[in-house]
Amino acid sequence: EAQVTQNPRYLITVTGKKLTVTCSQNMNHEYMSWYRQDPGLGLRQIYYSMNVEVTDKGDVPEGYKVSRKEKRNFPLILESPSPNQTSLYFCASKTSGTDYNEQFFGPGTRLTVL
Amino acid sequence: EDQVTQSPEALRLQEGESSSLNCSYTVSGLRGLFWYRQDPGKGPEFLFTLYSAGEEKEKERLKATLTKKESFLHITAPKPEDSATYLCAVQRGSRGNDYKLSFGAGTTVTVRA
């Protein structure tokens, strides 16, 4: 089954404790992206990657890091999480090209930073 | 800065009661406008892409239209399974490698049987 998977699905952590949220897709997609979703603000793009070793900032990259060493994986790293990073996070992927047609989203990771 | 505003925030409909959702946008050179459906506890699911004013797309009871300033998602004779949050997003015109996408906050639709 074609899908985007994220782990963990739920995470409660404390301020300053480094964490990684993994994202993997099995559709051989070149493009992958991370979003956060907050009530009243909608989805906001954190980082995106056009292909392996190619990443770029979205609208809200502060406090996050990403890496794209393999085509199928795109982990999101929070080096020193803070309470304002409490949110619902989505990973997404699509084929190459400049349009956002058929962007596939993962099931989400709910992160709480105490 | 790109802005995407969706209204209303929430919409309660009786089964069979048609209605429309609005997505107004401000973007420097629209490359595409996208509609997604999001069910509780799940990621968004792609519905439509609209590229130019006057364009329309249909899928079952849903019809999306686009003008130069806004898009509408019409729900005709809705059923309870149409209950979801509907998200609108815009992609600005390409400047170099500009692939950023801006989403609205969504409209949550509840259809009662």
Side-chain angles (χ1 to χ4, degrees):
Chain A
E1 180 190 353
Q3 59 183 349
V4 178
T5 56
Q6 297 179 224
N7 282 293
R9 293 289 313 279
Y10 303 91
L11 180 60
I12 300 175
T13 189
V14 295
T15 299
K17 186 176 181 181
K18 182 180 178 180
L19 66 92
T20 299
V21 183
T22 65
C23 172
S24 183
Q25 50 92 6
N26 63 1
M27 295 168 280
N28 201 35
H29 285 166
E30 289 79 11
Y31 176 97
M32 298 184 75
S33 182
W34 276 103
Y35 298 86
R36 61 177 290 174
Q37 187 173 38
D38 302 289
L41 295 178
L43 281 159
R44 291 179 292 169
Q45 195 170 37
I46 303 171
Y47 269 94
Y48 62 91
S49 169
M50 297 303 298
N51 214 326
V52 176
E53 302 292 359
V54 180
T55 63
D56 206 350
K57 296 177 181 178
D59 291 321
V60 288
E62 295 78 19
Y64 304 95
K65 284 177 58 178
V66 293
S67 69
R68 187 89 182 275
K69 300 187 187 310
E70 303 169 282
K71 195 173 187 179
R72 63 180 294 132
N73 296 322
F74 190 43
L76 180 69
I77 303 158
L78 284 72
E79 295 269 4
S80 182
S82 62
N84 64 12
Q85 293 178 299
T86 292
S87 187
L88 180 58
Y89 291 86
F90 288 100
C91 180
S93 74
K94 71 175 189 74
T95 57
S96 62
T98 55
D99 294 332
Y100 277 90
N101 279 342
E102 299 292 348
Q103 187 170 202
F104 294 88
F105 282 82
T109 294
R110 186 166 292 282
L111 172 66
T112 302
V113 183
L114 302 174
Chain B
E1 185 178 321
D2 301 342
Q3 282 198 316
V4 183
T5 304
Q6 292 187 247
S7 61
E9 289 185 17
L11 188 61
R12 288 183 174 272
L13 300 172
Q14 200 66 33
E15 184 172 4
E17 177 189 1
S18 302
S19 188
S20 296
L21 285 55
N22 177 266
C23 172
S24 63
Y25 61 89
T26 303
V27 63
S28 57
L30 179 71
R31 183 175 183 88
L33 185 141
F34 309 90
W35 282 98
Y36 286 84
R37 170 191 170 122
Q38 186 174 22
D39 293 305
K42 295 189 176 181
E45 179 184 339
F46 171 79
L47 290 173
F48 303 112
T49 305
L50 301 166
Y51 291 107
S52 57
E55 190 174 359
E56 298 182 351
K57 293 277 180 72
E58 282 190 71
K59 181 178 180 179
E60 296 181 1
R61 294 176 293 282
L62 301 176
K63 179 180 178 180
T65 62
L66 180 65
T67 72
K68 289 188 176 180
K69 293 185 178 181
E70 56 191 350
S71 176
F72 293 93
L73 184 65
H74 308 278
I75 310 178
T76 302
K79 297 182 178 181
E81 52 262 44
D82 295 322
S83 297
T85 297
Y86 292 87
L87 304 174
C88 171
V90 298
Q91 179 184 4
R92 70 173 73 102
S94 179
R95 293 197 298 265
N97 293 318
D98 195 332
Y99 300 110
K100 294 180 184 177
L101 198 62
S102 298
F103 278 84
T107 294
T108 298
V109 175
T110 304
V111 183
R112 295 166 292 178

